[in-house]
Amino acid sequence: MIAEIIVDVSAYPIDRPFDYGVPQHLEAVIECGSRVKVPFGPRKIIGYVTGLKDESEVDEGKLKQIDELIDLEPVFSSELLTLSKRLARETLSYEIDALQVMLPAAMRAKYEKFIIVKEPEKIEDAGLMAFFNGRTRVPLKQVTDSNLLKAIKIYADKGIVTVDTAISQQTKVKKVRTVRIMDASTLTELEKAIHPNAKKQAEMIKWMLGHAGKTMEAAKLLNETGLTNTVLKALIEKGAASERHEEIYREPDAPRLLDTPIPLQLTDEQQKALKAVNEASDKDKAETFLLHGVTGSGKTEIYLRAIKHVLDKGKEAIVLVPEISLTPQMTSRFQERFGSLVAVMHSGLSAGEKYDEWRKIHRREVKVVVGARSAIFAPFENVGIIILDEEHESTYKQDDTPRYHARDVAIWRSEFYGCPVILGSATPSLESYARATKGVYTLLELSRRAKNQSLPAVTVVDMRDELKEGNRSMFSVQLADAVQKRLDKKEQIVLFLNKRGFSSFVLCRDCGTVVECPNCDISLTYHRANESLKCHYCGHEEAVPLDCPECESEHIRFFGTGTQKAEEEISKLFPEARVIRMDVDTTRQKGAHERLLRQFSEGKADILLGTQMIAKGLDFPNITLVGVLAADTTLHLADFRAAEKTFQLMTQVSGRAGRHELAGEVFIQTYSPEHYAIELAKTQHYETFYNLEMLARKQYGYPPFFYITLIQFSHEDLLKVADFADKATRFMKSNLSQDTVIIGPAAAAISRVNNRYRYQCLIKYKKEPKLIETLQQLIKMYRTNWLKEGLLMTVDMEPASI
Ligand code: ADP
Ligand code: ZN
Ligand code: ZN
């Protein structure tokens, strides 16, 4: 028997399976999808079996054998193997990357170099001897001293030590050691035989007599007796007890139950939507629904009931939520309804916890997974429904290889299982809404809030006026007054400050003008190095104006504010307020999100100040005021989706206020109050926004009217990267059709990262049958030649942002 195996040699420019012989003893157990260890060159590495056959083209003498089968059960079902092929093809990635992205990090192939001491007695270097300290296998990374390294090299030349690569299991199955104590008569017999000098053993046996027949954790036994493991081991040896190592799961923090009441009666709109979804699942129909409903309209309740419907039929459910700050409350609601049938997968878990959740799914011990993007690969084999909540979120797009969108993968899997997909959002992506209006997706609308609460009153504050009044603070007079009022009433406040993307723009504080590219309808990016403004789509460049091209004011300069600065201003304006700041800096630690949110929900702070991570999901009854400190930061992102992102954010942020009994109020501060994305966020008129934004997209040829592919280049040498980008662009131009628009190459929005210069090229097309093939050729040139010259190139079909 011959196995086709994909091995992890990403640096290797060949992307195909290798043939290996299957040793006889493995023939009966090996399957497609099995994880194995194989020799590759001088190393032993992990691979995945993707095919089994009788004959190989490789000479029998040259054919290597599989070393070891790692798991008894295959890690990939045939469905996931097929999916990985499609994933690799559609994202132009290596197959190994498409396979590994489906597994928890703990299971991915990882290599570590080890020093193997072959003839320890021949080592004379005292330092080295002390370092090895009797060990014969030491991780190379532990050698941090150059003298030791030199000594090791000398002995390696003589063959006394070798350096070998081995697979390190980054995270193992967690086991607990338990001890079963024998019955009293056995113990009494043994007690008699114990040597009078072995006092400790006698002491432990006495204790055991009081616990005869019991099973307990070894650690507990040692703790209670106060005796050492050596004593316990001696007694186990003598037969006083037996020990076992049992596999256990690492439990992430226990869910915090919210006691969300289960509504007895769905609204008419909810009923209609649920019926449509359930009908599709009863017909085993792969139908994609776009569930468009304002915040609080009862979308989650529909998810819960649609899941119940498929669980009753013995099927499984996958629920994706965009960010971990959202998951505590969301997961709690799923756990309340479905209890221990729920697995949770998100980036807040440790590698070990994720591995354990994965195994629960793989072993069918759970039926529902709630998780972030990668949970779309949950190894269920009878999927009955897939749900993407907040489907417009860009976190569903992976920005590293393989560059997949969870929405696409959801639809591929639903096609295999014949099951519905629900895409839910208050502000659907333009792409999804366009598909729904064309009938590719089925549109389901929830136009009212479930408990009939009114949407909060939204006030847009014109910051240009503040400057005229001489107020230079980040807080307008109106917002500051509103904050003070809530503080007096002991109600809670959320203040939102979107971190400006990584790029920055130039804004006139008198009239709100932002300098834009004449060709591309996006903000120009400010480059400090040569005081210039550049378009990172087309390369257009101009000098930073000294006064505003619209109103000739001198107050035109680069714009940016941070959460730390905002915190300082808050403490000056409202010294008595208790503030929780939530941004990347304060949430780095594991569990920090949950902790901070819990503190806020328990009323331990008056103000929650944060970046987009607090924009959604929060559902606390006492929040009555939401303030957006600077809507402009998103509005002028150098991205054609800037208006869409602003509308989405403003709508979501507003949705945080007044979700319960207390009425809510929202203030949006901006220098561009007349922009339609901000105007319409006041009333949350999605359809009007959609129609206006579609006009702009059509005029400038952006999605959903055109598809976009982004090629990015980086190199340590500026001239080289420009040269490669130019070569690649010319290659694409000469192979693609006339109707396809190729823009660039141009310097990227962040033109230098980690000492590497970055360029990009944008391809816009409606129908381009030769695109994939041409890109494959380009990638081949890159892998075989350009990579060696220090270039890094990535291709992203339908990037989340440009
Ligand atoms: P969404 O997911 O659209 O934001 P949710 O499903 O979270 O909305 O519903 C918002 C609130 O309304 C929740 O507290 C939920 O329990 C409640 N709710 C949902 N449906 C109903 C209903 N039919 N009757 C009463 N309350 C409901
Ligand atoms: Zn101006
Ligand atoms: Zn441009």
Side-chain angles (χ1 to χ4, degrees):
M1 194 192 252
I2 308 291
E4 292 178 328
I5 293 175
I6 303 260
V7 289
D8 180 23
V9 273
S10 306
Y12 210 72
I14 295 174
D15 191 28
R16 63 166 175 83
F18 291 89
D19 284 359
Y20 283 89
V22 179
Q24 199 138 40
H25 70 280
L26 291 182
E27 280 192 2
V29 281
I30 207 155
E31 286 180 57
C32 282
S34 289
R35 192 163 61 131
V36 292
K37 217 180 273 186
V38 293
F40 193 86
R43 306 180 292 165
K44 292 226 168 32
I45 63 179
I46 287 181
Y48 305 94
V49 179
T50 57
L52 289 166
K53 55 190 182 183
D54 295 328
E55 273 173 60
S56 171
E57 317 218 307
V58 181
D59 288 347
E60 208 161 315
K62 285 194 185 147
L63 195 70
K64 290 187 183 159
Q65 298 279 305
I66 292 175
D67 230 50
E68 182 186 321
L69 181 66
I70 301 178
D71 329 84
L72 284 177
E73 293 287 323
V75 294
F76 297 116
S77 63
S78 64
E79 183 240 341
L80 288 180
L81 278 182
T82 312
L83 185 74
S84 80
K85 285 218 165 65
R86 182 162 185 186
L87 190 62
R89 194 174 61 242
E90 304 224 4
T91 62
L92 298 155
S93 319
Y94 286 113
E95 275 196 46
I96 185 68
D97 291 337
L99 285 169
Q100 301 221 68
V101 77
M102 299 187 185
L103 294 177
M107 284 174 80
R108 292 177 203 163
K110 274 270 181 313
Y111 311 107
E112 207 177 336
K113 289 219 158 122
F114 284 92
I115 310 157
I116 314 290
V117 189
K118 289 188 151 170
E119 297 171 275
E121 64 286 351
K122 288 196 184 157
I123 293 182
E124 286 158 357
D125 184 309
L128 202 55
M129 250 153 55
F131 172 71
F132 286 142
N133 191 21
R135 296 178 295 176
T136 53
R137 189 162 176 276
V138 183
L140 185 61
K141 66 168 186 242
Q142 285 185 9
V143 188
T144 48
D145 177 298
S146 65
N147 283 329
L148 281 181
L149 205 58
K150 270 184 215 149
I152 288 169
K153 271 193 182 150
I154 293 168
Y155 285 107
D157 286 343
K158 295 182 191 159
I160 294 169
V161 304
T162 57
V163 177
D164 198 7
T165 309
I167 297 152
S168 83
Q169 208 121 6
Q170 192 193 25
T171 308
K172 295 210 174 87
V173 171
K174 188 170 174 186
K175 294 198 170 153
V176 60
R177 179 176 168 223
T178 57
V179 178
R180 197 173 74 81
I181 300 167
M182 294 298 154
D183 56 85
S185 61
T186 315
L187 293 173
T188 321
E189 280 304 305
L190 285 168
E191 193 180 18
K192 287 182 203 148
I194 282 177
H195 194 275
N197 285 351
K199 294 215 175 69
K200 295 268 157 80
Q201 288 187 25
E203 194 183 324
M204 188 177 279
I205 259 210
K206 246 197 203 85
W207 187 90
M208 283 179 165
L209 269 165
H211 298 79
K214 283 195 183 147
T215 302
M216 61 175 64
E217 280 187 29
K220 186 165 174 260
L221 183 151
L222 296 177
N223 193 15
E224 287 194 9
T225 57
L227 295 165
T228 63
N229 190 34
T230 321
V231 179
L232 176 60
K233 273 195 163 157
L235 286 182
I236 288 172
E237 195 106 309
K238 289 184 177 156
S242 62
E243 67 177 336
R244 275 179 54 176
H245 292 267
E246 280 175 65
E247 189 183 319
I248 55 162
Y249 293 132
R250 281 149 282 224
E251 292 297 343
D253 294 344
R256 184 166 54 104
L257 300 183
L258 306 164
D259 281 328
T260 320
I262 302 178
L264 298 173
Q265 185 67 42
L266 291 184
T267 64
D268 288 350
E269 286 179 324
Q270 280 177 315
Q271 266 174 26
K272 219 173 121 202
L274 182 65
K275 186 159 166 265
V277 175
N278 286 352
E279 271 173 16
S281 67
D282 288 343
K283 284 190 230 148
D284 294 333
K285 189 171 164 204
E287 185 171 356
T288 303
F289 296 93
L290 179 63
L291 179 60
H292 174 218
V294 294
T295 43
S297 59
K299 296 186 292 295
T300 310
E301 189 56 40
I302 294 178
Y303 305 155
L304 290 164
R305 296 200 184 204
I307 292 172
K308 173 85 172 45
H309 188 77
V310 306
L311 293 188
D312 288 346
K313 293 196 280 187
K315 296 189 179 180
E316 297 135 356
I318 299 175
V319 183
L320 300 192
V321 289
E323 265 172 60
I324 65 161
S325 61
L326 247 178
T327 42
Q329 289 197 332
M330 267 298 249
T331 46
S332 296
R333 277 181 76 183
F334 284 83
Q335 280 163 331
E336 277 176 341
R337 209 63 73 91
F338 304 117
S340 58
L341 289 180
V342 181
V344 181
M345 287 269 224
H346 61 73
S347 55
L349 303 183
S350 70
E353 286 166 350
K354 275 189 215 159
Y355 178 36
D356 288 355
E357 295 297 292
W358 184 90
R359 282 185 301 144
K360 285 184 202 167
I361 301 168
H362 192 238
R363 293 169 173 171
R364 309 288 119 69
E365 290 168 8
V366 293
K367 292 282 188 183
V368 181
V369 57
V370 181
R373 180 181 61 234
S374 64
I376 194 59
F377 299 113
F380 282 136
E381 288 186 18
N382 195 8
V383 178
I385 191 163
I386 305 177
I387 294 163
L388 268 79
D389 189 37
E390 311 282 356
E391 71 90 29
H392 60 276
E393 280 295 329
S394 58
T395 51
Y396 285 131
K397 176 71 201 279
Q398 169 144 312
D399 60 7
D400 197 357
T401 56
R403 295 183 160 73
Y404 68 93
H405 198 296
R407 194 197 294 138
D408 298 328
V409 180
I411 292 172
W412 300 342
R413 292 195 79 177
S414 87
E415 282 164 1
F416 180 89
Y417 288 105
C419 75
V421 174
I422 307 180
L423 309 175
S425 177
T427 51
S429 63
L430 256 66
E431 285 86 343
S432 291
Y433 203 80
R435 280 181 201 139
T437 57
K438 276 199 207 155
V440 182
Y441 300 162
T442 309
L443 185 62
L444 303 171
E445 298 261 10
L446 302 178
S447 57
R448 274 187 305 277
R449 283 186 152 182
K451 296 189 224 162
N452 257 323
Q453 318 95 308
S454 51
L455 288 166
V458 180
T459 308
V460 173
V461 184
D462 189 340
M463 291 304 277
R464 297 171 301 193
D465 296 342
E466 297 293 317
L467 189 70
K468 288 190 192 110
E469 306 281 318
N471 175 13
R472 289 174 173 274
S473 144
M474 283 164 89
F475 284 81
S476 61
V477 176
Q478 280 188 74
L479 179 58
D481 282 350
V483 170
Q484 191 57 56
K485 257 193 223 130
R486 308 292 149 160
L487 289 175
D488 294 343
K489 282 204 266 181
K490 305 256 175 285
E491 291 172 4
Q492 288 183 303
I493 301 153
V494 171
L495 293 178
F496 176 74
L497 185 66
N498 192 19
K499 223 169 90 89
R500 49 187 178 88
F502 19 74
S503 64
S504 52
F505 53 93
V506 163
L507 172 131
C508 168
R509 286 171 198 240
D510 277 320
C511 77
T513 293
V514 167
V515 191
E516 290 189 346
C517 174
N519 314 318
C520 303
D521 190 35
I522 61 149
S523 309
L524 291 176
T525 306
Y526 173 63
H527 288 256
R528 194 183 298 269
N530 48 0
E531 279 290 309
S532 68
L533 290 170
K534 282 186 197 166
C535 171
H536 70 281
Y537 284 17
C538 72
H540 169 87
E541 184 170 351
E542 57 186 72
V544 176
L546 295 174
D547 40 40
C548 173
E550 288 294 321
C551 75
E552 298 185 0
S553 154
E554 293 163 18
H555 294 124
I556 184 160
R557 64 180 88 95
F558 133 88
F559 188 86
T561 36
T563 41
Q564 257 168 326
K565 193 171 159 235
E567 196 178 15
E568 282 164 26
E569 278 217 25
I570 292 170
S571 66
K572 259 189 250 151
L573 285 171
F574 316 105
E576 78 281 24
R578 296 163 304 163
V579 183
I580 289 179
R581 194 179 103 217
M582 252 178 105
D583 55 20
V584 277
D585 293 326
T586 62
T587 54
R588 210 160 271 145
Q589 253 179 11
K590 182 174 177 310
H593 270 103
E594 253 214 287
R595 204 184 57 246
L596 292 175
L597 288 179
R598 187 172 311 154
Q599 283 172 5
F600 191 64
S601 77
E602 288 167 355
K604 291 190 178 135
D606 309 300
I607 299 179
L608 178 64
L609 165 71
T611 55
Q612 48 268 64
M613 65 175 70
I614 62 166
K616 46 221 148 195
L618 298 182
D619 188 1
F620 302 130
N622 206 28
I623 301 176
T624 55
L625 174 65
V626 170
V628 177
L629 294 178
D632 308 79
T633 47
T634 2
L635 196 54
H636 304 303
L637 283 174
D639 186 336
F640 72 87
R641 288 197 179 90
E644 181 182 358
K645 285 182 180 163
T646 307
F647 181 76
Q648 286 165 347
L649 265 170
M650 295 308 121
T651 306
Q652 261 167 351
V653 171
S654 309
R656 295 311 112 215
R659 288 170 70 87
H660 298 266
E661 287 71 32
L662 300 171
E665 210 181 353
V666 176
F667 286 85
I668 298 176
Q669 302 190 146
T670 176
Y671 290 91
S672 309
E674 62 288 326
H675 193 287
Y676 60 95
I678 296 203
E679 269 286 309
L680 290 166
K682 265 198 264 188
T683 49
Q684 306 205 357
H685 265 170
Y686 178 82
E687 281 80 0
T688 315
F689 173 77
Y690 171 81
N691 289 328
L692 285 173
E693 181 64 10
M694 286 294 270
L695 285 179
R697 298 284 178 91
K698 189 169 186 181
Q699 188 180 350
Y700 286 93
Y702 291 124
F705 292 97
F706 280 78
Y707 293 107
I708 280 193
T709 291
L710 176 70
I711 312 178
Q712 290 177 301
F713 311 86
S714 80
H715 200 286
E716 287 177 357
D717 185 328
L718 178 60
L719 293 179
K720 284 228 166 98
V721 72
D723 190 40
F724 278 122
D726 191 52
K727 245 192 238 166
T729 308
R730 272 189 284 125
F731 177 78
M732 296 307 290
K733 274 189 183 147
S734 65
N735 282 283
L736 298 181
S737 70
Q738 292 292 325
D739 298 336
T740 296
V741 185
I742 300 179
I743 307 170
I750 345 165
S751 55
R752 198 168 148 211
V753 175
N754 283 336
N755 287 320
R756 296 183 70 88
Y757 292 90
R758 308 182 350 141
Y759 262 67
Q760 65 187 35
C761 157
L762 212 59
I763 304 170
K764 294 203 287 188
Y765 57 100
K766 263 192 156 35
K767 261 210 180 80
E768 182 49 271
K770 281 187 292 186
L771 182 68
I772 294 283
E773 193 196 319
T774 311
L775 284 171
Q776 277 167 343
Q777 285 171 4
L778 182 74
I779 289 173
K780 200 166 172 193
M781 292 191 310
Y782 160 67
R783 285 178 187 167
T784 43
N785 298 314
W786 301 351
L787 187 60
K788 278 183 279 201
E789 293 185 52
L791 179 77
L792 289 179
M793 183 182 90
T794 60
V795 175
D796 195 349
M797 317 278 288
E798 296 183 62
S801 62
I802 299 177

